[in-house]
């Protein structure tokens, strides 16, 4: 089994070497600012008989990002470059400076937009909390308990304050047995 695998690998390597050799003529674009060798448009190259852009996940040697379709490639050096890095490498110094300023402005704009979204979210939450009305959730005697219920000495025979909960209102989910049978002080 191992020998068969080794033979298959040797055949694949030989086929790939022949494929690379046949594609040398496609390496006709020379961009000295980008790469020392002539480059080929990636979408014109084959890998295993199929278009390289369909079967190969490229790795840009400039920005280290992985992507499906490199812009230019050098098969001899195994060099791929994405369109953005290619454009950047071919820029003049003034163009690079302008592009850096554009990117910085865009990043600043994105940060400011994120801060504004956060501020609006916090404002909505604060407004929601303000609108929460305890009167809609609690009975009046709980919001404003009688004086004898808040005074530790108010009920001489008990000596403590009893707080009660009326439980859940009828919401269709929790059990509801109606208002309490007994009033507590």
């Amino acid at each position: 089994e191992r020998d068969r695998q080794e033979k298959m690998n040797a055949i694949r390597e030989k086929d790939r070497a022949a494929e690379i050799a046949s594609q040398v003529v496609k390496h006709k674009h020379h961009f000295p600012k980008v790469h020392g060798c002539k480059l080929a448009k990636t979408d014109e190259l084959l890998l295993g008989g199929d278009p390289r852009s369909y079967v190969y996940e490229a790795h840009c040697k400039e920005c280290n990002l992985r992507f499906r379709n490199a812009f230019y490639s050098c098969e001899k050096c195994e060099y791929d470059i994405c369109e953005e890095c290619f454009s950047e490498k071919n820029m003049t110094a003034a163009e690079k400076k302008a592009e850096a300023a554009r990117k910085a402005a865009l990043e600043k704009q994105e940060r400011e937009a994120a801060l504004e979204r956060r501020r609006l979210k916090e404002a909505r939450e604060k407004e929601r909390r303000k609108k929460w009305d305890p009167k809609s959730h609690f009975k009046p005697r709980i919001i404003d308990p009688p004086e004898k219920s808040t005074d530790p000495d108010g009920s001489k025979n008990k000596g403590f304050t009893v707080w009660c909960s009326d439980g859940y209102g009828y919401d269709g989910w929790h059990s509801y047995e109606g208002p309490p049978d007994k009033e507590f002080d």
Side-chain angles (χ1 to χ4, degrees), residues 44-70:
E44 296 174 355
L45 299 175
L46 299 176
L47 180 65
D50 293 318
R52 189 170 186 235
S53 56
Y54 294 163
V55 294
Y56 177 72
E57 187 176 78
H59 183 113
C60 179
K61 297 294 187 207
E62 302 300 325
C63 66
N64 292 322
L65 290 179
R66 292 193 177 277
F67 50 91
R68 201 52 149 151
N69 193 6

Side-chain angles (χ1 to χ4, degrees), residues 1-9 12:
E1 177 65 28
R2 188 172 182 199
D3 289 338
R4 191 172 78 72
Q5 281 288 17
E6 288 176 4
K7 286 179 185 177
M8 292 298 293
N9 286 339
R12 275 191 220 112

